Amino acid sequence: FGSPHFQSINSSAAVLCVRATTLSGKVDNGDGTVTDHDLGTIWMKCPQGMTYASGSESCTGSPAEFQYCDTNDNSCNGGVGDGILDGNGNSEAWDTCNDLVYAGKEDWRVPTIEELASLVLCTDGPLGSRNFCGLVNSSNPNIDTSLFPDFRSNWFWTSGSYVDDSNNASLVNFGLGYTGYHTKSGTLSVLCVR
């Protein structure tokens, strides 16, 4: 670098222009995970119960199903109607993500409804502010299968209790691309996030 060199305003000099770039969208990390740069999350490519096969970049097996809570109340989500899974009570959904060690990470969890719904891809684009793709804008499954291979059209738990009824918790259905709710003691699939 040396000493600064100044030129008069009338002389010519080279200028190096730079611009900052921000990553956006979803990117396959090549290790069985997908990074969502817009939300700052990292997803498992395969639902719990399935295994990622790196050689074929596929998910094998079948998704397992888990209870949100073994009781139809708020004991697994902080005791409040709009709470999220917090490790209290007896929650198979919480345990399957919380106990997971994958891609060198241990901080996996059940996604919020906003996070999981962000993966729904209707034929006319992302789910966005709607809560249903609609029959004409629906493919099966309603997710980017280039990032989430062999994905099933199952119903998936989110971490949130359904605010209007403590018996239920929120879900995302990738078959028709919609959000809804289900009885907490019922069993649904889980896709872990960190």
Side-chain angles (χ1 to χ4, degrees):
F1 286 85
S3 333
H5 177 76
F6 298 99
Q7 294 183 341
S8 74
I9 201 158
N10 293 330
S11 65
S12 62
V15 175
L16 176 63
C17 298
V18 297
R19 73 179 177 106
T21 58
T22 303
L23 291 175
S24 66
K26 296 171 183 67
V27 177
D28 186 337
N29 297 320
D31 62 357
T33 66
V34 173
T35 296
D36 183 335
H37 291 285
D38 296 331
L39 293 181
T41 54
I42 298 176
W43 294 93
M44 297 285 301
K45 288 179 79 89
C46 306
Q48 290 299 93
M50 296 184 81
T51 303
Y52 179 68
S54 59
S56 61
E57 295 188 21
S58 63
C59 296
T60 60
S62 296
E65 293 193 342
F66 306 89
Q67 287 181 318
Y68 179 94
C69 194
D70 67 345
T71 56
N72 291 327
D73 59 22
N74 291 322
S75 63
C76 293
N77 51 276
V80 293
D82 61 349
I84 61 170
L85 286 173
D86 61 3
N88 291 313
N90 185 14
S91 171
E92 295 172 345
W94 165 274
D95 291 342
T96 193
C97 291
N98 189 60
D99 296 344
L100 181 64
V101 177
Y102 190 80
K105 305 298 181 195
E106 299 179 17
D107 56 346
W108 297 97
R109 60 181 173 78
V110 179
T112 66
I113 192 166
E114 295 82 10
E115 290 168 336
L116 193 57
S118 75
L119 298 181
V120 174
L121 184 61
C122 306
T123 55
D124 67 346
L127 187 63
S129 61
R130 334 172 248 194
N131 65 351
F132 178 50
C133 284
L135 296 177
V136 219
N137 293 323
S138 182
S139 60
N140 196 346
N142 288 285
I143 193 168
D144 184 344
T145 54
S146 69
L147 293 173
F148 298 92
D150 307 303
F151 206 85
R152 308 291 167 82
S153 299
N154 297 26
W155 296 10
F156 286 80
W157 285 125
T158 72
S159 60
S161 181
Y162 185 64
V163 69
D164 294 332
D165 184 354
S166 65
N167 292 319
N168 296 300
S170 298
L171 63 84
V172 172
N173 177 303
F174 287 93
L176 292 173
Y178 70 85
T179 60
Y181 56 91
H182 192 321
T183 306
K184 291 178 179 176
S185 61
T187 59
L188 302 180
S189 298
V190 174
L191 184 65
C192 300
V193 70
R194 59 176 297 272

